[in-house]
Amino acid sequence: DSGVTQTPKHLITATGQRVTLRCSPRSGDLSVYWYQQSLDQGLQFLIQYYNGEERAKGNILERFSAQQFPDLHSELNLSSLELGDSALYFCASARTSGGGETQYFGPGTRLLVL
Amino acid sequence: AQKITQTQPGMFVQEKEAVTLDCTYDTSDPSYGLFWYKQPSSGEMIFLIYQGSYDQQNATEGRYSLNFQKARKSANLVISASQLGDSAMYFCAMRDYGGSQGNLIFGKGTKLSVKP
């Protein structure tokens, strides 16, 4: 158990819908990263938050957004869902955003868009 | 641009034998970190081992060791005394310390199957 929690574990929805994925980092970790894992794209970085502020953006679509709250939990919002958004979404947390910090991953949310 | 290459899509190893999973990387930053993660069929990503670019010795964590050859830009994972529970996908990842983004760059992974 990494100490990172993600809810829900599974999500099935329809095209055009909007969903929210939730992540609680390990106790004391200030940095949260979101990654998407799909069969064709592999593991891709979406966005990073550090202590409530957006720190870096990767290949995140405009239909996707995220935020980190004062209690440091984070939410990833996916809207106008398409079939291709079906993937495993991970959040990872780290103590800081320093280079050598290990990122610990949550169990993931498996999203299926029908 | 940063890149991680894992050339072995799948590998088999006999239980109790050692196995090496290959990883090569490309970066122009002199300061970076290399990570290995394990992903069992259940889907979670489990951190295994870390090697910093300035570390003098190869990292070890229990049955896992990292064969770090900086000049060749390789960071192979060695698993000793393989167990059935080692069957999983293994991902090599890198992070540049000097980059503005703190995210990991992952390879495509190697699927390891341990035979009894």
PDB file of all heavy atoms in Angstrom, chain B residues 48-87:
ATOM      1  N   LEU B  48      10.076   0.392  -7.157  1.00  0.00           N
ATOM      2  CA  LEU B  48      11.049  -0.644  -6.811  1.00  0.00           C
ATOM      3  C   LEU B  48      12.387  -0.075  -6.380  1.00  0.00           C
ATOM      4  O   LEU B  48      12.927  -0.448  -5.340  1.00  0.00           O
ATOM      5  CB  LEU B  48      11.279  -1.574  -8.013  1.00  0.00           C
ATOM      6  CG  LEU B  48      10.101  -2.409  -8.486  1.00  0.00           C
ATOM      7  CD1 LEU B  48      10.511  -3.221  -9.712  1.00  0.00           C
ATOM      8  CD2 LEU B  48       9.586  -3.321  -7.376  1.00  0.00           C
ATOM      9  N   ILE B  49      12.956   0.828  -7.205  1.00  0.00           N
ATOM     10  CA  ILE B  49      14.335   1.216  -6.971  1.00  0.00           C
ATOM     11  C   ILE B  49      14.618   2.529  -7.696  1.00  0.00           C
ATOM     12  O   ILE B  49      13.990   2.850  -8.714  1.00  0.00           O
ATOM     13  CB  ILE B  49      15.278   0.080  -7.447  1.00  0.00           C
ATOM     14  CG1 ILE B  49      16.684   0.239  -6.888  1.00  0.00           C
ATOM     15  CG2 ILE B  49      15.283  -0.050  -8.965  1.00  0.00           C
ATOM     16  CD1 ILE B  49      17.535  -1.021  -7.049  1.00  0.00           C
ATOM     17  N   TYR B  50      15.574   3.282  -7.135  1.00  0.00           N
ATOM     18  CA  TYR B  50      15.949   4.588  -7.677  1.00  0.00           C
ATOM     19  C   TYR B  50      17.474   4.697  -7.775  1.00  0.00           C
ATOM     20  O   TYR B  50      18.200   4.212  -6.895  1.00  0.00           O
ATOM     21  CB  TYR B  50      15.414   5.690  -6.758  1.00  0.00           C
ATOM     22  CG  TYR B  50      16.116   7.024  -6.902  1.00  0.00           C
ATOM     23  CD1 TYR B  50      15.804   7.866  -7.958  1.00  0.00           C
ATOM     24  CD2 TYR B  50      17.088   7.420  -5.992  1.00  0.00           C
ATOM     25  CE1 TYR B  50      16.445   9.080  -8.106  1.00  0.00           C
ATOM     26  CE2 TYR B  50      17.734   8.637  -6.136  1.00  0.00           C
ATOM     27  CZ  TYR B  50      17.402   9.464  -7.185  1.00  0.00           C
ATOM     28  OH  TYR B  50      18.039  10.667  -7.334  1.00  0.00           O
ATOM     29  N   GLN B  51      17.932   5.359  -8.837  1.00  0.00           N
ATOM     30  CA  GLN B  51      19.365   5.634  -9.023  1.00  0.00           C
ATOM     31  C   GLN B  51      19.524   7.082  -9.470  1.00  0.00           C
ATOM     32  O   GLN B  51      18.917   7.485 -10.466  1.00  0.00           O
ATOM     33  CB  GLN B  51      19.943   4.707 -10.102  1.00  0.00           C
ATOM     34  CG  GLN B  51      21.406   4.913 -10.408  1.00  0.00           C
ATOM     35  CD  GLN B  51      22.309   4.111  -9.510  1.00  0.00           C
ATOM     36  OE1 GLN B  51      22.053   2.945  -9.220  1.00  0.00           O
ATOM     37  NE2 GLN B  51      23.406   4.701  -9.063  1.00  0.00           N
ATOM     38  N   GLY B  52      20.322   7.850  -8.744  1.00  0.00           N
ATOM     39  CA  GLY B  52      20.618   9.211  -9.149  1.00  0.00           C
ATOM     40  C   GLY B  52      21.833   9.234 -10.061  1.00  0.00           C
ATOM     41  O   GLY B  52      22.733   8.393  -9.932  1.00  0.00           O
ATOM     42  N   SER B  53      21.885  10.229 -10.928  1.00  0.00           N
ATOM     43  CA  SER B  53      22.964  10.261 -11.920  1.00  0.00           C
ATOM     44  C   SER B  53      24.333  10.460 -11.291  1.00  0.00           C
ATOM     45  O   SER B  53      25.351  10.107 -11.891  1.00  0.00           O
ATOM     46  CB  SER B  53      22.701  11.367 -12.953  1.00  0.00           C
ATOM     47  OG  SER B  53      22.604  12.635 -12.329  1.00  0.00           O
ATOM     48  N   TYR B  54      24.391  11.021 -10.089  1.00  0.00           N
ATOM     49  CA  TYR B  54      25.670  11.246  -9.438  1.00  0.00           C
ATOM     50  C   TYR B  54      26.006  10.184  -8.385  1.00  0.00           C
ATOM     51  O   TYR B  54      27.039  10.271  -7.732  1.00  0.00           O
ATOM     52  CB  TYR B  54      25.692  12.631  -8.793  1.00  0.00           C
ATOM     53  CG  TYR B  54      25.671  13.748  -9.813  1.00  0.00           C
ATOM     54  CD1 TYR B  54      24.640  14.675  -9.843  1.00  0.00           C
ATOM     55  CD2 TYR B  54      26.682  13.868 -10.768  1.00  0.00           C
ATOM     56  CE1 TYR B  54      24.619  15.698 -10.784  1.00  0.00           C
ATOM     57  CE2 TYR B  54      26.667  14.887 -11.708  1.00  0.00           C
ATOM     58  CZ  TYR B  54      25.638  15.800 -11.710  1.00  0.00           C
ATOM     59  OH  TYR B  54      25.610  16.805 -12.637  1.00  0.00           O
ATOM     60  N   ASP B  55      25.104   9.210  -8.239  1.00  0.00           N
ATOM     61  CA  ASP B  55      25.384   8.145  -7.267  1.00  0.00           C
ATOM     62  C   ASP B  55      26.572   7.319  -7.740  1.00  0.00           C
ATOM     63  O   ASP B  55      26.616   6.898  -8.900  1.00  0.00           O
ATOM     64  CB  ASP B  55      24.158   7.244  -7.102  1.00  0.00           C
ATOM     65  CG  ASP B  55      22.999   7.963  -6.434  1.00  0.00           C
ATOM     66  OD1 ASP B  55      23.240   9.040  -5.849  1.00  0.00           O
ATOM     67  OD2 ASP B  55      21.869   7.455  -6.491  1.00  0.00           O
ATOM     68  N   GLN B  56      27.500   7.090  -6.826  1.00  0.00           N
ATOM     69  CA  GLN B  56      28.721   6.376  -7.189  1.00  0.00           C
ATOM     70  C   GLN B  56      28.501   4.872  -7.269  1.00  0.00           C
ATOM     71  O   GLN B  56      29.178   4.175  -8.029  1.00  0.00           O
ATOM     72  CB  GLN B  56      29.819   6.675  -6.163  1.00  0.00           C
ATOM     73  CG  GLN B  56      30.282   8.124  -6.167  1.00  0.00           C
ATOM     74  CD  GLN B  56      30.913   8.518  -7.489  1.00  0.00           C
ATOM     75  OE1 GLN B  56      31.775   7.814  -8.028  1.00  0.00           O
ATOM     76  NE2 GLN B  56      30.465   9.626  -8.059  1.00  0.00           N
ATOM     77  N   GLN B  57      27.579   4.384  -6.462  1.00  0.00           N
ATOM     78  CA  GLN B  57      27.355   2.940  -6.422  1.00  0.00           C
ATOM     79  C   GLN B  57      25.999   2.597  -7.031  1.00  0.00           C
ATOM     80  O   GLN B  57      25.059   3.399  -6.983  1.00  0.00           O
ATOM     81  CB  GLN B  57      27.409   2.451  -4.980  1.00  0.00           C
ATOM     82  CG  GLN B  57      28.780   2.619  -4.331  1.00  0.00           C
ATOM     83  CD  GLN B  57      28.873   1.897  -3.017  1.00  0.00           C
ATOM     84  OE1 GLN B  57      27.871   1.753  -2.313  1.00  0.00           O
ATOM     85  NE2 GLN B  57      30.055   1.420  -2.671  1.00  0.00           N
ATOM     86  N   ASN B  58      25.916   1.397  -7.557  1.00  0.00           N
ATOM     87  CA  ASN B  58      24.647   0.914  -8.075  1.00  0.00           C
ATOM     88  C   ASN B  58      23.665   0.714  -6.934  1.00  0.00           C
ATOM     89  O   ASN B  58      24.014   0.208  -5.866  1.00  0.00           O
ATOM     90  CB  ASN B  58      24.840  -0.416  -8.813  1.00  0.00           C
ATOM     91  CG  ASN B  58      25.527  -0.225 -10.146  1.00  0.00           C
ATOM     92  OD1 ASN B  58      25.586   0.877 -10.688  1.00  0.00           O
ATOM     93  ND2 ASN B  58      26.060  -1.312 -10.700  1.00  0.00           N
ATOM     94  N   ALA B  59      22.407   1.116  -7.180  1.00  0.00           N
ATOM     95  CA  ALA B  59      21.381   0.988  -6.152  1.00  0.00           C
ATOM     96  C   ALA B  59      20.967  -0.474  -5.977  1.00  0.00           C
ATOM     97  O   ALA B  59      20.951  -1.256  -6.942  1.00  0.00           O
ATOM     98  CB  ALA B  59      20.166   1.825  -6.541  1.00  0.00           C
ATOM     99  N   THR B  60      20.656  -0.826  -4.741  1.00  0.00           N
ATOM    100  CA  THR B  60      20.116  -2.159  -4.455  1.00  0.00           C
ATOM    101  C   THR B  60      18.978  -2.012  -3.450  1.00  0.00           C
ATOM    102  O   THR B  60      19.022  -1.158  -2.559  1.00  0.00           O
ATOM    103  CB  THR B  60      21.171  -3.109  -3.866  1.00  0.00           C
ATOM    104  OG1 THR B  60      21.665  -2.533  -2.653  1.00  0.00           O
ATOM    105  CG2 THR B  60      22.319  -3.334  -4.827  1.00  0.00           C
ATOM    106  N   GLU B  61      17.963  -2.868  -3.633  1.00  0.00           N
ATOM    107  CA  GLU B  61      16.832  -2.927  -2.702  1.00  0.00           C
ATOM    108  C   GLU B  61      16.387  -4.374  -2.638  1.00  0.00           C
ATOM    109  O   GLU B  61      15.663  -4.864  -3.495  1.00  0.00           O
ATOM    110  CB  GLU B  61      15.651  -2.079  -3.207  1.00  0.00           C
ATOM    111  CG  GLU B  61      15.834  -0.587  -3.129  1.00  0.00           C
ATOM    112  CD  GLU B  61      15.710  -0.031  -1.727  1.00  0.00           C
ATOM    113  OE1 GLU B  61      15.281  -0.784  -0.813  1.00  0.00           O
ATOM    114  OE2 GLU B  61      16.047   1.139  -1.524  1.00  0.00           O
ATOM    115  N   GLY B  62      16.867  -5.086  -1.637  1.00  0.00           N
ATOM    116  CA  GLY B  62      16.489  -6.489  -1.508  1.00  0.00           C
ATOM    117  C   GLY B  62      16.941  -7.290  -2.721  1.00  0.00           C
ATOM    118  O   GLY B  62      18.123  -7.328  -3.041  1.00  0.00           O
ATOM    119  N   ARG B  63      16.002  -7.947  -3.401  1.00  0.00           N
ATOM    120  CA  ARG B  63      16.351  -8.756  -4.575  1.00  0.00           C
ATOM    121  C   ARG B  63      16.518  -7.921  -5.845  1.00  0.00           C
ATOM    122  O   ARG B  63      16.838  -8.473  -6.913  1.00  0.00           O
ATOM    123  CB  ARG B  63      15.271  -9.812  -4.804  1.00  0.00           C
ATOM    124  CG  ARG B  63      15.171 -10.858  -3.708  1.00  0.00           C
ATOM    125  CD  ARG B  63      14.197 -11.979  -4.067  1.00  0.00           C
ATOM    126  NE  ARG B  63      12.835 -11.478  -4.278  1.00  0.00           N
ATOM    127  CZ  ARG B  63      12.221 -11.446  -5.447  1.00  0.00           C
ATOM    128  NH1 ARG B  63      12.841 -11.878  -6.545  1.00  0.00           N
ATOM    129  NH2 ARG B  63      10.983 -10.982  -5.546  1.00  0.00           N
ATOM    130  N   TYR B  64      16.295  -6.625  -5.748  1.00  0.00           N
ATOM    131  CA  TYR B  64      16.412  -5.760  -6.920  1.00  0.00           C
ATOM    132  C   TYR B  64      17.729  -5.002  -6.882  1.00  0.00           C
ATOM    133  O   TYR B  64      18.123  -4.466  -5.840  1.00  0.00           O
ATOM    134  CB  TYR B  64      15.262  -4.744  -6.964  1.00  0.00           C
ATOM    135  CG  TYR B  64      13.887  -5.354  -6.941  1.00  0.00           C
ATOM    136  CD1 TYR B  64      13.084  -5.268  -5.808  1.00  0.00           C
ATOM    137  CD2 TYR B  64      13.379  -6.014  -8.056  1.00  0.00           C
ATOM    138  CE1 TYR B  64      11.823  -5.822  -5.785  1.00  0.00           C
ATOM    139  CE2 TYR B  64      12.114  -6.578  -8.037  1.00  0.00           C
ATOM    140  CZ  TYR B  64      11.341  -6.477  -6.895  1.00  0.00           C
ATOM    141  OH  TYR B  64      10.090  -7.032  -6.882  1.00  0.00           O
ATOM    142  N   SER B  65      18.393  -4.930  -8.013  1.00  0.00           N
ATOM    143  CA  SER B  65      19.565  -4.085  -8.129  1.00  0.00           C
ATOM    144  C   SER B  65      19.516  -3.407  -9.491  1.00  0.00           C
ATOM    145  O   SER B  65      18.876  -3.892 -10.426  1.00  0.00           O
ATOM    146  CB  SER B  65      20.856  -4.876  -7.953  1.00  0.00           C
ATOM    147  OG  SER B  65      20.950  -5.884  -8.932  1.00  0.00           O
ATOM    148  N   LEU B  66      20.164  -2.274  -9.548  1.00  0.00           N
ATOM    149  CA  LEU B  66      20.159  -1.495 -10.777  1.00  0.00           C
ATOM    150  C   LEU B  66      21.582  -1.461 -11.309  1.00  0.00           C
ATOM    151  O   LEU B  66      22.489  -0.995 -10.619  1.00  0.00           O
ATOM    152  CB  LEU B  66      19.633  -0.071 -10.499  1.00  0.00           C
ATOM    153  CG  LEU B  66      19.046   0.681 -11.687  1.00  0.00           C
ATOM    154  CD1 LEU B  66      17.993   1.678 -11.224  1.00  0.00           C
ATOM    155  CD2 LEU B  66      20.152   1.404 -12.440  1.00  0.00           C
ATOM    156  N   ASN B  67      21.772  -1.962 -12.501  1.00  0.00           N
ATOM    157  CA  ASN B  67      23.080  -1.964 -13.150  1.00  0.00           C
ATOM    158  C   ASN B  67      23.182  -0.674 -13.958  1.00  0.00           C
ATOM    159  O   ASN B  67      22.710  -0.600 -15.096  1.00  0.00           O
ATOM    160  CB  ASN B  67      23.222  -3.191 -14.046  1.00  0.00           C
ATOM    161  CG  ASN B  67      24.601  -3.287 -14.668  1.00  0.00           C
ATOM    162  OD1 ASN B  67      25.458  -2.440 -14.432  1.00  0.00           O
ATOM    163  ND2 ASN B  67      24.820  -4.319 -15.458  1.00  0.00           N
ATOM    164  N   PHE B  68      23.805   0.336 -13.343  1.00  0.00           N
ATOM    165  CA  PHE B  68      23.851   1.682 -13.915  1.00  0.00           C
ATOM    166  C   PHE B  68      25.169   1.863 -14.656  1.00  0.00           C
ATOM    167  O   PHE B  68      26.243   1.805 -14.050  1.00  0.00           O
ATOM    168  CB  PHE B  68      23.718   2.705 -12.799  1.00  0.00           C
ATOM    169  CG  PHE B  68      23.728   4.141 -13.243  1.00  0.00           C
ATOM    170  CD1 PHE B  68      22.972   4.571 -14.309  1.00  0.00           C
ATOM    171  CD2 PHE B  68      24.498   5.082 -12.553  1.00  0.00           C
ATOM    172  CE1 PHE B  68      22.974   5.902 -14.709  1.00  0.00           C
ATOM    173  CE2 PHE B  68      24.505   6.412 -12.936  1.00  0.00           C
ATOM    174  CZ  PHE B  68      23.747   6.818 -14.005  1.00  0.00           C
ATOM    175  N   GLN B  69      25.085   2.065 -15.967  1.00  0.00           N
ATOM    176  CA  GLN B  69      26.278   2.336 -16.772  1.00  0.00           C
ATOM    177  C   GLN B  69      26.069   3.683 -17.452  1.00  0.00           C
ATOM    178  O   GLN B  69      25.449   3.774 -18.517  1.00  0.00           O
ATOM    179  CB  GLN B  69      26.487   1.209 -17.794  1.00  0.00           C
ATOM    180  CG  GLN B  69      26.739  -0.130 -17.122  1.00  0.00           C
ATOM    181  CD  GLN B  69      27.102  -1.217 -18.126  1.00  0.00           C
ATOM    182  OE1 GLN B  69      27.927  -1.002 -19.021  1.00  0.00           O
ATOM    183  NE2 GLN B  69      26.491  -2.381 -17.976  1.00  0.00           N
ATOM    184  N   LYS B  70      26.622   4.704 -16.804  1.00  0.00           N
ATOM    185  CA  LYS B  70      26.335   6.086 -17.208  1.00  0.00           C
ATOM    186  C   LYS B  70      26.830   6.390 -18.611  1.00  0.00           C
ATOM    187  O   LYS B  70      26.134   7.056 -19.389  1.00  0.00           O
ATOM    188  CB  LYS B  70      26.987   7.036 -16.194  1.00  0.00           C
ATOM    189  CG  LYS B  70      26.476   8.447 -16.229  1.00  0.00           C
ATOM    190  CD  LYS B  70      27.011   9.202 -15.020  1.00  0.00           C
ATOM    191  CE  LYS B  70      26.525  10.623 -15.017  1.00  0.00           C
ATOM    192  NZ  LYS B  70      26.967  11.333 -13.800  1.00  0.00           N
ATOM    193  N   ALA B  71      28.027   5.924 -18.943  1.00  0.00           N
ATOM    194  CA  ALA B  71      28.589   6.230 -20.258  1.00  0.00           C
ATOM    195  C   ALA B  71      27.748   5.614 -21.382  1.00  0.00           C
ATOM    196  O   ALA B  71      27.627   6.177 -22.468  1.00  0.00           O
ATOM    197  CB  ALA B  71      30.024   5.735 -20.338  1.00  0.00           C
ATOM    198  N   ARG B  72      27.160   4.472 -21.089  1.00  0.00           N
ATOM    199  CA  ARG B  72      26.322   3.787 -22.083  1.00  0.00           C
ATOM    200  C   ARG B  72      24.865   4.216 -21.974  1.00  0.00           C
ATOM    201  O   ARG B  72      24.025   3.766 -22.737  1.00  0.00           O
ATOM    202  CB  ARG B  72      26.418   2.274 -21.894  1.00  0.00           C
ATOM    203  CG  ARG B  72      27.810   1.728 -22.095  1.00  0.00           C
ATOM    204  CD  ARG B  72      27.860   0.246 -21.879  1.00  0.00           C
ATOM    205  NE  ARG B  72      27.084  -0.485 -22.879  1.00  0.00           N
ATOM    206  CZ  ARG B  72      26.968  -1.798 -22.916  1.00  0.00           C
ATOM    207  NH1 ARG B  72      27.577  -2.526 -21.997  1.00  0.00           N
ATOM    208  NH2 ARG B  72      26.261  -2.386 -23.848  1.00  0.00           N
ATOM    209  N   LYS B  73      24.560   5.057 -20.989  1.00  0.00           N
ATOM    210  CA  LYS B  73      23.194   5.522 -20.736  1.00  0.00           C
ATOM    211  C   LYS B  73      22.245   4.337 -20.602  1.00  0.00           C
ATOM    212  O   LYS B  73      21.200   4.262 -21.273  1.00  0.00           O
ATOM    213  CB  LYS B  73      22.719   6.492 -21.832  1.00  0.00           C
ATOM    214  CG  LYS B  73      23.474   7.824 -21.797  1.00  0.00           C
ATOM    215  CD  LYS B  73      22.838   8.865 -22.679  1.00  0.00           C
ATOM    216  CE  LYS B  73      23.508  10.209 -22.477  1.00  0.00           C
ATOM    217  NZ  LYS B  73      22.948  11.279 -23.334  1.00  0.00           N
ATOM    218  N   SER B  74      22.653   3.401 -19.748  1.00  0.00           N
ATOM    219  CA  SER B  74      21.769   2.270 -19.495  1.00  0.00           C
ATOM    220  C   SER B  74      21.540   2.109 -18.000  1.00  0.00           C
ATOM    221  O   SER B  74      22.408   2.446 -17.177  1.00  0.00           O
ATOM    222  CB  SER B  74      22.326   0.988 -20.103  1.00  0.00           C
ATOM    223  OG  SER B  74      23.381   0.486 -19.332  1.00  0.00           O
ATOM    224  N   ALA B  75      20.391   1.603 -17.654  1.00  0.00           N
ATOM    225  CA  ALA B  75      19.982   1.433 -16.253  1.00  0.00           C
ATOM    226  C   ALA B  75      19.160   0.160 -16.155  1.00  0.00           C
ATOM    227  O   ALA B  75      17.941   0.199 -15.970  1.00  0.00           O
ATOM    228  CB  ALA B  75      19.177   2.636 -15.791  1.00  0.00           C
ATOM    229  N   ASN B  76      19.839  -0.965 -16.269  1.00  0.00           N
ATOM    230  CA  ASN B  76      19.144  -2.253 -16.297  1.00  0.00           C
ATOM    231  C   ASN B  76      18.749  -2.704 -14.899  1.00  0.00           C
ATOM    232  O   ASN B  76      19.511  -2.559 -13.946  1.00  0.00           O
ATOM    233  CB  ASN B  76      20.015  -3.313 -16.957  1.00  0.00           C
ATOM    234  CG  ASN B  76      20.345  -2.959 -18.403  1.00  0.00           C
ATOM    235  OD1 ASN B  76      19.650  -2.167 -19.047  1.00  0.00           O
ATOM    236  ND2 ASN B  76      21.413  -3.542 -18.920  1.00  0.00           N
ATOM    237  N   LEU B  77      17.578  -3.289 -14.796  1.00  0.00           N
ATOM    238  CA  LEU B  77      17.093  -3.832 -13.528  1.00  0.00           C
ATOM    239  C   LEU B  77      17.439  -5.317 -13.460  1.00  0.00           C
ATOM    240  O   LEU B  77      17.148  -6.063 -14.394  1.00  0.00           O
ATOM    241  CB  LEU B  77      15.578  -3.660 -13.410  1.00  0.00           C
ATOM    242  CG  LEU B  77      14.943  -4.247 -12.154  1.00  0.00           C
ATOM    243  CD1 LEU B  77      15.329  -3.438 -10.921  1.00  0.00           C
ATOM    244  CD2 LEU B  77      13.426  -4.315 -12.294  1.00  0.00           C
ATOM    245  N   VAL B  78      18.070  -5.714 -12.369  1.00  0.00           N
ATOM    246  CA  VAL B  78      18.373  -7.117 -12.151  1.00  0.00           C
ATOM    247  C   VAL B  78      17.529  -7.623 -10.995  1.00  0.00           C
ATOM    248  O   VAL B  78      17.531  -7.028  -9.915  1.00  0.00           O
ATOM    249  CB  VAL B  78      19.871  -7.322 -11.838  1.00  0.00           C
ATOM    250  CG1 VAL B  78      20.170  -8.806 -11.623  1.00  0.00           C
ATOM    251  CG2 VAL B  78      20.748  -6.766 -12.960  1.00  0.00           C
ATOM    252  N   ILE B  79      16.785  -8.682 -11.249  1.00  0.00           N
ATOM    253  CA  ILE B  79      15.996  -9.325 -10.202  1.00  0.00           C
ATOM    254  C   ILE B  79      16.652 -10.667  -9.916  1.00  0.00           C
ATOM    255  O   ILE B  79      16.796 -11.509 -10.816  1.00  0.00           O
ATOM    256  CB  ILE B  79      14.528  -9.543 -10.636  1.00  0.00           C
ATOM    257  CG1 ILE B  79      13.897  -8.223 -11.086  1.00  0.00           C
ATOM    258  CG2 ILE B  79      13.727 -10.156  -9.481  1.00  0.00           C
ATOM    259  CD1 ILE B  79      12.481  -8.387 -11.646  1.00  0.00           C
ATOM    260  N   SER B  80      17.074 -10.866  -8.692  1.00  0.00           N
ATOM    261  CA  SER B  80      17.720 -12.137  -8.333  1.00  0.00           C
ATOM    262  C   SER B  80      16.671 -13.089  -7.775  1.00  0.00           C
ATOM    263  O   SER B  80      15.639 -12.656  -7.246  1.00  0.00           O
ATOM    264  CB  SER B  80      18.827 -11.900  -7.311  1.00  0.00           C
ATOM    265  OG  SER B  80      18.262 -11.393  -6.121  1.00  0.00           O
ATOM    266  N   ALA B  81      16.943 -14.374  -7.904  1.00  0.00           N
ATOM    267  CA  ALA B  81      16.080 -15.408  -7.316  1.00  0.00           C
ATOM    268  C   ALA B  81      14.608 -15.144  -7.601  1.00  0.00           C
ATOM    269  O   ALA B  81      13.797 -14.921  -6.686  1.00  0.00           O
ATOM    270  CB  ALA B  81      16.331 -15.509  -5.808  1.00  0.00           C
ATOM    271  N   SER B  82      14.249 -15.152  -8.883  1.00  0.00           N
ATOM    272  CA  SER B  82      12.885 -14.799  -9.295  1.00  0.00           C
ATOM    273  C   SER B  82      11.834 -15.637  -8.583  1.00  0.00           C
ATOM    274  O   SER B  82      12.030 -16.837  -8.326  1.00  0.00           O
ATOM    275  CB  SER B  82      12.737 -14.996 -10.816  1.00  0.00           C
ATOM    276  OG  SER B  82      13.579 -14.131 -11.510  1.00  0.00           O
ATOM    277  N   GLN B  83      10.720 -14.988  -8.293  1.00  0.00           N
ATOM    278  CA  GLN B  83       9.586 -15.647  -7.654  1.00  0.00           C
ATOM    279  C   GLN B  83       8.366 -15.518  -8.561  1.00  0.00           C
ATOM    280  O   GLN B  83       8.297 -14.614  -9.408  1.00  0.00           O
ATOM    281  CB  GLN B  83       9.297 -14.986  -6.297  1.00  0.00           C
ATOM    282  CG  GLN B  83      10.458 -15.030  -5.335  1.00  0.00           C
ATOM    283  CD  GLN B  83      10.206 -14.197  -4.083  1.00  0.00           C
ATOM    284  OE1 GLN B  83       9.179 -13.521  -3.950  1.00  0.00           O
ATOM    285  NE2 GLN B  83      11.158 -14.234  -3.164  1.00  0.00           N
ATOM    286  N   LEU B  84       7.400 -16.405  -8.364  1.00  0.00           N
ATOM    287  CA  LEU B  84       6.196 -16.368  -9.202  1.00  0.00           C
ATOM    288  C   LEU B  84       5.509 -15.007  -9.120  1.00  0.00           C
ATOM    289  O   LEU B  84       4.956 -14.500 -10.103  1.00  0.00           O
ATOM    290  CB  LEU B  84       5.230 -17.482  -8.800  1.00  0.00           C
ATOM    291  CG  LEU B  84       5.738 -18.906  -9.024  1.00  0.00           C
ATOM    292  CD1 LEU B  84       4.700 -19.922  -8.525  1.00  0.00           C
ATOM    293  CD2 LEU B  84       6.072 -19.162 -10.479  1.00  0.00           C
ATOM    294  N   GLY B  85       5.573 -14.394  -7.937  1.00  0.00           N
ATOM    295  CA  GLY B  85       4.957 -13.091  -7.749  1.00  0.00           C
ATOM    296  C   GLY B  85       5.661 -11.957  -8.472  1.00  0.00           C
ATOM    297  O   GLY B  85       5.160 -10.822  -8.491  1.00  0.00           O
ATOM    298  N   ASP B  86       6.794 -12.238  -9.076  1.00  0.00           N
ATOM    299  CA  ASP B  86       7.501 -11.213  -9.860  1.00  0.00           C
ATOM    300  C   ASP B  86       6.899 -11.062 -11.250  1.00  0.00           C
ATOM    301  O   ASP B  86       7.249 -10.125 -11.980  1.00  0.00           O
ATOM    302  CB  ASP B  86       8.985 -11.568  -9.990  1.00  0.00           C
ATOM    303  CG  ASP B  86       9.723 -11.511  -8.661  1.00  0.00           C
ATOM    304  OD1 ASP B  86       9.290 -10.769  -7.767  1.00  0.00           O
ATOM    305  OD2 ASP B  86      10.749 -12.232  -8.527  1.00  0.00           O
ATOM    306  N   SER B  87       6.014 -11.960 -11.644  1.00  0.00           N
ATOM    307  CA  SER B  87       5.366 -11.852 -12.957  1.00  0.00           C
ATOM    308  C   SER B  87       4.548 -10.568 -13.000  1.00  0.00           C
ATOM    309  O   SER B  87       3.621 -10.373 -12.197  1.00  0.00           O
ATOM    310  CB  SER B  87       4.451 -13.054 -13.203  1.00  0.00           C
ATOM    311  OG  SER B  87       5.204 -14.237 -13.316  1.00  0.00           O
TER     312      SER B  87
END
